[in-house]
Amino acid sequence: MPILSNADREYLSQVFAERLVDPVKIRLYTQKLTQLNIPGYECMTCRETNELMEELASLSDKIELETLDFLQVRQQAVREGITEIPAIVLEGKNKGKVRFIGVPAGYEFATLIEDMIDVSRGTTKLQPLSREILGKLARPVHIQVFVTPT
Amino acid sequence: MMAVESDKVTADVVEVSEFPHIAQRYRIYAVPKVVIDETLEFEGARPEEAFIAAVESVAGGPAEEGGSSRGDDGR
């Protein structure tokens, strides 16, 4: 049974058709369902996240989904700063790195959709002064926003 | 959004209820909680200007070389 309702799929298809400009890649570090579970490495939300990302990717030709098994590509994941799964890395016209750790459910699902659109367009709704300040940052900076689904 | 605009920014949204060890490490008692470069943290939503100022105070701008003006939340 799909995670997204028919109404949600219809709405999101329309949003993506209207607002996605260039392709967006979702790189999903996860636990594939076909492998044996290794004690201590069970991922409680990977199945749900896998299904949700597959459903999203099916709603627009501009969304590409790359699904990687965390344990099989661990070195690549570590190079990318991924130490927990499920982890979503968005790639498009973004200048920095945009990542979601854990299932993007509840309010964060809307954040994911908005970020996909921003990444596709390479622009945001930030004020011009904010963009100017960000463009002049002297050092790399890591921003972590901790949330819960409710 | 900031990570879309700047190649200096890595932005993670972390669903912390799945990762109790992260919640413990960062002492997450309320959400949203923001941690910038492990040095500056605050709870709750902030206006765009305040958030940008917090990022600038850590990552430095040309007028504040060395990030000397850590915010009130800085440790």
Side-chain angles (χ1 to χ4, degrees):
Chain A
M1 185 176 165
I3 295 174
L4 297 173
S5 67
N6 286 337
D8 286 343
R9 293 172 64 87
E10 196 173 318
Y11 171 74
L12 287 170
S13 295
Q14 188 177 341
V15 167
F16 289 148
E18 290 175 358
R19 298 180 63 194
L20 289 181
V21 175
D22 286 333
V24 179
K25 185 174 189 176
I26 299 172
R27 183 156 54 255
L28 172 62
Y29 290 94
T30 187
Q31 185 174 51
K32 290 193 175 174
L33 304 178
T34 52
Q35 72 180 37
L36 293 173
N37 279 339
I38 302 171
Y41 287 92
E42 296 89 351
C43 173
M44 301 303 288
T45 58
C46 281
R47 177 190 293 269
E48 180 186 0
T49 306
N50 296 352
E51 290 178 8
L52 187 56
M53 292 307 107
E54 284 171 10
E55 289 181 29
L56 272 188
S58 74
L59 300 180
S60 171
D61 292 339
K62 290 178 177 166
I63 302 172
E64 178 190 350
L65 175 62
E66 178 185 22
T67 304
L68 300 171
D69 189 293
F70 179 67
L71 292 180
Q72 290 182 4
V73 296
R74 193 150 195 167
Q75 287 187 334
Q76 175 187 338
V78 169
R79 277 198 302 273
E80 198 155 24
I82 303 298
T83 56
E84 309 288 348
I85 55 171
I88 293 162
V89 181
L90 296 184
E91 277 188 357
K93 294 173 77 175
N94 46 312
K95 296 177 181 134
K97 295 175 184 168
V98 183
R99 310 186 293 207
F100 288 76
I101 315 300
V103 60
Y107 182 76
E108 294 320 308
F109 184 67
T111 304
L112 172 68
I113 301 300
E114 286 301 318
D115 278 3
M116 288 172 65
I117 291 165
D118 286 346
V119 163
S120 165
R121 303 171 78 94
T123 59
T124 68
K125 293 175 183 171
L126 289 176
Q127 297 172 23
L129 179 60
S130 299
R131 293 185 204 164
E132 186 181 331
I133 292 169
L134 290 170
K136 291 179 179 174
L137 291 178
R139 292 176 292 281
V141 61
H142 183 199
I143 303 170
Q144 296 180 91
V145 181
F146 298 101
V147 299
T148 57
T150 53
Chain B
M1 286 195 282
M2 294 187 211
V4 174
E5 298 283 0
S6 171
D7 62 358
K8 296 284 198 304
V9 176
T10 295
D12 292 342
V13 177
V14 183
E15 202 291 272
V16 74
S17 65
E18 291 176 45
F19 309 106
H21 60 288
I22 294 178
Q24 189 173 19
R25 177 180 172 188
Y26 290 100
R27 301 186 304 280
I28 312 291
Y29 303 118
V31 290
K33 179 168 182 173
V34 175
V35 176
I36 303 174
D37 261 8
E38 315 277 333
T39 59
L40 191 156
E41 62 182 54
F42 56 86
E43 289 177 351
R46 286 196 172 185
E48 178 181 325
E49 295 82 357
F51 204 141
I52 293 284
V55 172
E56 186 183 24
S57 75
V58 172
E64 296 186 66
E65 192 63 35
S68 58
S69 65
R70 294 276 162 95
D72 292 337
D73 297 311
R75 286 179 292 131

